[in-house]
Amino acid sequence: MRNLREDGSGAAGRPAAGLDPESCRRLFGSLHRNGQRVKAEQYVRGLLSVAGRKTLRSLAAQFDGASAQQSVHHFITTSPWEWTPIRHALARQAQRTLAPEAWVIRSTLIPKAGPHSVGADPQRTPLGTVNGQRAVGTWLTSERSAVPVDWQLCLSSRWTADPLRERASVPEGALACTVEECVRQAVAALSGIRCTVRLPVVVDVAEADGSAVARSLGAMGLPFLVRVEPAAPMRLDRSSLPRYGDLQRTAGELAESLPHLRQQVNPGDGRTTAAAVPVVVAGAGRDAMTLMGEWPPDERAGRRLWLTNLSSSLLAPALRLTRMPGVVERDSAEIADGVGLRDFAGRSFPGWHRHITLASVAHLAVATARDRARRGTAAVMSPTSTGLPFGNLTLSSCS
């Protein structure tokens, strides 16, 4: 990833693009003390400029005084400032500047060399077991950019019991939770972000029960697309397909057994084969859902299955939304790793949340600079509607 100085949008002693004084005022306005606001800005500028891993020691070079390292450590791990208001301000700033089209919720593995970083445990992956942290990120995403604005750190029971709870300053209210439970926490947290209009929620988390997550989103009245595994059980909705039986099948079997429902559609990146199958999901009451299957032209990509409460007549725009996790994956590699999002190695639970919050602010600064460079102008983009044909699912901005 090129840093802001290499992009020409920031230089030593000058405000970095996307981190101008007005942006800092909006992002850090919840910090009541001027010294805290100054330190937050310095910390983010360090994340944007320091080469290599963003350790507390390397970031201390951005601070003045002989005790800079101690000052940085105190600011991140023990200083009593709340990260949630900054995340809400970050979400509003991302809406204001990048015109996102959806929320994307994904899990991320943060490998760690040892067991001492908060939340670090053996994590199962398709390639074997890896020691590290498992976090669930909530991203505001468009076709151009993805910015993380909220985070849940998954904790095993050993981190919520003493002595590790006390040692890591894990609050009493933090409970041991699976990835699926962290996904539900992430969804619940969306309601607390002021001025967020009903953007669709796209959940692509292999470790979670997609049907259960879809039920939760449906109960909250949110528009959603949730990736489901082929083995997920469900039934055909006989009110829509009365000539077919209602025996329970797997999502994969339903998608394959109704070839006449397949059609050629173009979600914006070329023609693909897709089908919308009306289904009933156990525990969802009378809420109608659609199993959406896609068979890409590149057979190596494999079939993809999603549960959604969007109308089956919106197949092409719904498929377009399923591309959003790919934008998250790209920007996580191109931006997030470069601004130190995975670099916090401390034992402090509050420290992890404060570091990853400020790293998310740095991510927005890079994404904003990149977006302006692509558009060939330094002017801030005017807020617009996404134009997606989802009825009242339009995007508004907040001042």
Side-chain angles (χ1 to χ4, degrees):
M1 184 205 72
R2 297 177 302 169
N3 61 40
L4 291 182
R5 296 180 186 181
E6 291 169 341
D7 282 343
S9 48
R14 294 188 301 173
L19 199 65
D20 54 82
E22 179 60 22
S23 296
C24 289
R25 183 190 67 78
R26 289 170 169 166
L27 290 165
F28 305 132
S30 63
L31 300 177
H32 301 301
R33 294 168 52 189
N34 182 64
Q36 290 177 325
R37 294 191 293 272
V38 170
K39 287 180 179 178
E41 181 178 344
Q42 287 178 319
Y43 195 90
V44 173
R45 292 191 187 283
L47 293 170
L48 293 169
S49 60
V50 170
R53 290 187 67 244
K54 311 302 190 292
T55 65
L56 295 185
R57 177 177 295 180
S58 65
L59 294 171
Q62 303 296 307
F63 291 69
D64 297 327
S67 61
Q69 185 173 337
Q70 181 180 356
S71 176
V72 173
H73 184 273
H74 173 77
F75 175 67
I76 292 297
T77 62
T78 60
S79 181
W81 57 272
E82 294 292 332
W83 52 84
T84 299
I86 293 179
R87 293 181 182 181
H88 290 183
L90 173 62
R92 294 192 292 271
Q93 183 74 357
Q95 289 185 34
R96 185 180 298 109
T97 59
L98 298 177
E101 302 170 34
W103 294 104
V104 174
I105 297 176
R106 293 197 76 190
S107 71
T108 185
L109 174 64
I110 305 175
K112 294 296 176 183
H116 302 298
S117 295
V118 60
D121 281 303
Q123 307 288 345
R124 293 181 180 179
T125 76
L127 300 179
T129 301
V130 175
N131 186 72
Q133 300 160 323
R134 178 69 68 177
V136 171
T138 303
W139 300 64
L140 277 170
T141 311
S142 71
E143 288 184 325
R144 298 184 306 276
S145 298
V147 174
V149 298
D150 195 23
W151 292 94
Q152 314 295 323
L153 180 61
C154 303
L155 298 175
S156 68
S157 57
R158 79 185 191 98
W159 285 99
T160 57
D162 289 330
L164 286 184
R165 175 188 285 277
E166 182 177 4
R167 188 181 304 165
S169 299
V170 176
E172 289 295 329
L175 304 176
C177 59
T178 64
V179 174
E180 183 176 315
E181 289 165 338
C182 281
V183 170
R184 295 185 186 184
Q185 291 173 10
V187 170
L190 293 177
S191 62
I193 301 177
R194 182 172 57 87
C195 294
T196 298
V197 181
R198 286 163 46 90
L199 292 176
V201 182
V202 182
V203 181
D204 187 3
V205 180
E207 303 91 342
D209 179 344
S211 297
V213 173
R215 290 196 298 268
S216 296
L217 286 161
M220 295 177 66
L222 295 172
F224 65 81
L225 294 97
V226 179
R227 185 82 169 265
V228 293
E229 294 298 314
M234 56 192 65
R235 300 175 186 272
L236 278 177
D237 183 354
R238 293 193 65 190
S239 65
S240 298
L241 296 173
R243 291 188 294 175
Y244 293 84
D246 63 352
L247 293 177
Q248 183 167 290
R249 304 284 186 88
T250 67
E253 289 170 342
L254 287 178
E256 294 294 342
S257 64
L258 298 168
H260 66 283
L261 294 181
R262 299 181 194 178
Q263 56 184 292
Q264 291 289 306
V265 294
N266 187 346
D269 56 358
R271 297 187 68 79
T272 187
T273 302
V277 182
V279 295
V280 175
V281 177
R286 298 182 178 180
D287 293 339
M289 292 192 193
T290 299
L291 173 65
M292 190 170 64
E294 180 186 4
W295 294 261
D298 183 358
E299 295 183 358
R300 292 174 298 178
R303 180 190 59 200
R304 289 176 283 201
L305 300 172
W306 301 81
L307 266 180
T308 181
N309 59 352
L310 299 178
S311 170
S312 59
S313 64
L314 300 173
L315 189 55
L319 282 173
R320 179 185 170 200
L321 287 173
T322 68
R323 278 40 175 174
M324 298 299 169
V327 181
V328 170
E329 184 176 3
R330 182 202 67 198
D331 279 10
S332 181
E334 292 186 0
I335 300 177
D337 288 346
V339 296
L341 192 139
R342 301 171 188 258
D343 287 351
F344 185 77
R347 297 183 180 184
S348 167
F349 179 88
W352 184 88
H353 275 281
R354 293 185 183 116
H355 169 86
I356 207 166
T357 298
L358 296 179
S360 298
V361 170
H363 183 114
L364 174 63
V366 177
T368 300
R370 184 184 64 183
D371 190 65
R372 292 174 179 174
R374 287 175 176 174
R375 291 172 176 270
T377 176
V380 176
M381 185 179 65
S382 299
T384 62
S385 167
T386 63
L388 289 172
F390 292 144
N392 65 341
L393 308 185
T394 55
L395 176 71
S396 70
S397 66
C398 309
S399 59

